[in-house]
Amino acid sequence: MTGNGIMLEDLAYIFGQTEKAGRFAGKTIVITGCGGFIGFYLTHYFVYLKQQGIQYRSLILLDTFRSGRPAWLEELSRNEADIEVYSFDIAVDKLDSIPAAHRADYVIHMASIASPTYYRQFPIETIHANVLGLNNLLEFYRHRPLEGLLFFSSSEVYGDPVQESIPTAETYLGNVSSLGPRACYDESKRMGETLCYVYHQTYQMPIRIVRPFNNFGPGMAVGDKRVPADFAQAVLSHEDLVIHSDGTPTRTFCYIADAIAGYIKVLTYEQFDCFNIGMDRPEITVLQLAGIFRKQALELWGYSGAIRYRPSLEKDYLTGNPSRRCPDISKARQLLGFQPGIDVEQGVRRYLSFLAQEREEVHS
């Protein structure tokens, strides 16, 4: 497992927040979309559990790996005999072909393109992963004795909420367009939630749904094209921080360690339900986020880049972009004991420090 100090600290933090981790002892866990940002942390979390004496039976990791297998995953698969990695498209390939998938106890379905830049480029693949891929999983497991199936939905199911519904609770029904460049993602996540509801109602499957809100941190590739990744890339390249809007859209940002703790809490929850998982404060503008990156990089390395405005070369970059995004997480607090504790300033500093350590390891 990676020796990056930031990540090791994060894994210890997550472990301390997930009191039901013992449930994974002796279990087989299937993760689709393992090669992405969240998959990076989830996979390392389960390996960390083993080091704490909670030994899973096997990890079955599935991804299309369209951009190639990440180096971290190659390293883990070489060093961990109980990890099986497959190049696999959940929308078209057959789970029957993977013997260990038949005995799964937990399934985590993350296979989807999450970055707006990329799901606009691959809208059909995005829909297929969220709808056909999920349907394939549900059909395969509806007569098998799962302990939990976690569907990664999105805060985008809310669309652009009306002002009086911000912070946004799970009861908000959404203000979403079925047409336009973001619809492939937003609407396929909504359809995925409906599939989960229907399969739970019909077959009593132990399904849970999470709606992530703006996760960021280690594991988010600097080429991801989401705002925190763009700012991190600029800092590491000693370039100016570029904002492709007027800087006024607001978001809350949830550091990945808090988010992972929330996802594990949802996976081990006892009933069908959906939960917002994110940070509820502070709600800040994109300009303020750029200022946080600039401040932290200045303190870490003397970074002196400026903040500049420049329209994106993508014609649909701002089309349908919500003006505000802030979760009401009171339900997760009450039912799950979810309590995010790493604020955006700490999170940005940890993200930048992680990336710097990674570069040092590559060049040492």
Side-chain angles (χ1 to χ4, degrees), residues 25 56 74 101 112 114 124 134 146 149 154-155 163 174 179 190 199 211 228 241 275 286-287 313 348 353-354 359-360:
Y56 57 81
E74 290 294 321
S112 178
I124 293 173
L134 174 60
L146 286 180
L149 187 152
S154 171
S155 61
Q163 296 300 306
L179 305 174
R190 289 170 67 89
Y199 271 78
R211 295 171 178 169
L241 295 158
F275 291 93
V286 174
L287 176 60
L313 297 177
V348 167
S353 298
F354 172 89
R359 289 198 167 190
E360 287 175 12

Side-chain angles (χ1 to χ4, degrees), residues 248-266:
T248 61
T250 62
R251 301 287 187 270
T252 59
F253 294 92
C254 184
Y255 185 67
I256 185 63
D258 278 323
I260 295 295
Y263 302 144
I264 297 299
K265 286 175 179 289
V266 178

Side-chain angles (χ1 to χ4, degrees), residues 298-313:
L298 171 64
E299 292 178 3
L300 286 168
W301 309 303
Y303 171 78
S304 58
I307 298 173
R308 302 188 184 281
Y309 295 89
R310 187 170 66 226
S312 173
L313 297 177

Side-chain angles (χ1 to χ4, degrees), residues 71-132:
W72 65 265
L73 189 55
E74 290 294 321
E75 180 184 350
L76 273 184
S77 60
R78 283 194 305 269
N79 297 333
E80 305 290 339
D82 43 25
I83 291 179
E84 300 178 25
V85 182
Y86 297 88
S87 293
F88 192 91
D89 186 339
I90 192 62
V92 297
D93 295 331
K94 303 298 183 185
L95 281 164
D96 268 322
S97 66
I98 302 175
H102 292 255
R103 62 171 189 265
D105 300 289
Y106 291 95
V107 176
I108 301 172
H109 182 44
M110 298 188 298
S112 178
I113 302 168
S115 171
T117 292
Y118 293 118
Y119 65 61
R120 284 192 291 264
Q121 291 177 22
F122 302 102
I124 293 173
E125 291 87 344
T126 300
I127 293 170
H128 285 176
N130 286 320
V131 179
L132 300 183

Side-chain angles (χ1 to χ4, degrees), residues 193-226:
E193 290 196 8
T194 302
L195 279 169
C196 288
Y197 171 78
V198 169
Y199 271 78
H200 169 72
Q201 292 292 106
T202 305
Y203 302 110
Q204 293 74 54
M205 294 181 70
I207 299 169
R208 323 288 177 242
I209 299 167
V210 290
R211 295 171 178 169
F213 276 74
N214 295 93
N215 297 172
F216 77 101
M220 176 177 269
V222 292
D224 182 271
K225 298 294 186 181
R226 282 176 278 191

Side-chain angles (χ1 to χ4, degrees), residues 160-169 172 324 326 328:
D160 194 5
V162 295
Q163 296 300 306
E164 57 266 29
S165 293
I166 300 172
T168 308
Y172 182 68
R324 295 180 65 189
C326 177
D328 180 339

